Amino acid sequence: MAKTRKYLKRTVAVSAAALAAFALQPASAGAAEGPAGNGGVDTKIVGGTPAEEGEFPFMVRLSMGCGGSIYAPDLILTAAHCVDGSGPDDSITVTAGVNDLEDSNAVTAQSTEVTVAPGYNGQGKDWALIKIDKELDLPALNIAKDASFNEGDFEIAGWGADSEGGSQQQNLLKATVPFVDDATCGSAYGSSFIAEEEICAGLVGEGGVDACQGDSGGPMFRKDDNDAWVQVGIVSWGQGCARPDYPGVYTEVSTFAGDIEEAAAGLGS
């Protein structure tokens, strides 16, 4: 089964203003496909509602058409399929601190280096860290260190499309999606779903709520016992957007928590 990656391919880095203007345009026909190469890509939270200003201060928008979260003041956690591999990279513009991408209060930073999950080959292990050229004075999003948070309802947010084949968004949207067990997700996706590395969420049998094109790399998160947000997943792939029989597939963050921490240390944070 083809994996529909939930990002919009960008060939060059763009300014925050240019990205904001682009975000209002229909999804590109040249959007990236999954490894099997026959999926379309959509770009926003489907079935979502506008986020309140400052509700998710750890959210960032990346200039290639992906989302991300603030892992540390100078590090962004995103999906491996959003970037072009590990090494020096000054092509990615990070926009943070606002819900409206055209807001004059937006904070921007530039990438300096990228580290992609060791062994990433397009199947599973879909995470990456982006080092940026300055520290952001914004809250970071803690990551889950074990599987205890891999249940219940999760929040997702992004500037991606609000329908399959729809338009990018200028303003941040949010939605709630319930956990989908591995057996159900495996039934939908077969061997394409890697239960040891991925976690699924969505309204099975109903559809209508999902991440979509342009949301890739953004966090799936929930509250911990102290009422603080913790990241459980990274938007990765799915069959279309919000289809009844195909939940969204997310990188299972707790599986890679140790690797992410090691990579962050290697980048100097």
Side-chain angles (χ1 to χ4, degrees):
M1 172 178 291
K3 292 183 177 181
T4 301
R5 295 297 189 186
K6 296 183 177 181
Y7 85 115
L8 190 65
K9 182 65 175 178
R10 304 303 301 278
T11 56
V12 295
V14 295
S15 68
L19 176 59
F22 174 80
L24 301 180
Q25 302 304 313
S28 167
E33 300 169 348
N38 65 358
V41 186
D42 298 301
T43 340
K44 151 189 172 186
I45 297 295
V46 178
T49 58
E52 295 180 13
E53 195 64 43
E55 186 174 7
F56 308 125
F58 46 76
M59 291 292 305
V60 302
R61 179 70 168 170
L62 306 178
S63 55
M64 80 289 283
C66 279
S69 58
I70 300 174
Y71 175 84
D74 60 348
L75 289 176
I76 304 303
L77 180 61
T78 189
H81 75 264
C82 287
V83 298
D84 292 326
S86 297
D89 188 337
D90 63 1
S91 68
I92 304 167
T93 300
V94 176
T95 302
V98 294
N99 287 1
D100 182 344
L101 294 175
E102 292 187 342
D103 192 324
S104 60
N105 293 315
V107 177
T108 61
Q110 207 67 24
S111 62
T112 61
E113 188 174 354
V114 173
T115 294
V116 170
Y120 173 72
N121 64 0
Q123 301 285 336
K125 300 179 176 65
D126 194 11
W127 65 266
L129 284 171
I130 300 171
K131 177 84 168 180
I132 54 177
D133 62 359
K134 64 183 180 183
E135 293 190 351
L136 299 175
D137 186 19
L138 291 164
L141 177 59
N142 292 327
I143 63 171
K145 304 294 181 62
D146 58 57
S148 62
F149 297 109
N150 294 357
E151 61 182 8
D153 289 339
F154 308 114
E155 300 299 314
I156 51 176
W159 290 270
D162 58 357
S163 62
E164 188 168 328
S167 300
Q168 298 284 298
Q169 300 300 298
Q170 177 180 326
N171 294 286
L172 185 67
L173 294 183
K174 64 177 181 178
T176 302
V177 287
F179 169 74
V180 174
D181 64 79
D182 289 349
T184 301
C185 203
S187 178
Y189 289 114
S191 61
S192 294
F193 170 62
I194 305 174
E196 298 80 10
E197 300 181 358
E198 297 173 323
I199 181 172
C200 295
L203 299 174
V204 176
E206 180 179 346
V209 182
D210 195 7
C212 203
Q213 179 185 351
D215 291 321
S216 271
M220 180 173 74
F221 47 98
R222 52 160 289 181
K223 290 290 185 71
D224 65 14
D225 294 338
N226 297 316
D227 202 38
W229 293 116
V230 60
Q231 182 167 354
V232 175
I234 299 170
V235 179
S236 184
W237 64 279
Q239 184 69 17
C241 300
R243 297 184 185 182
D245 298 324
Y246 294 100
V249 183
Y250 302 77
T251 303
E252 189 173 274
V253 169
S254 62
T255 298
F256 301 104
D259 292 336
I260 292 170
E261 290 177 338
E262 183 177 352
L267 287 170
S269 290

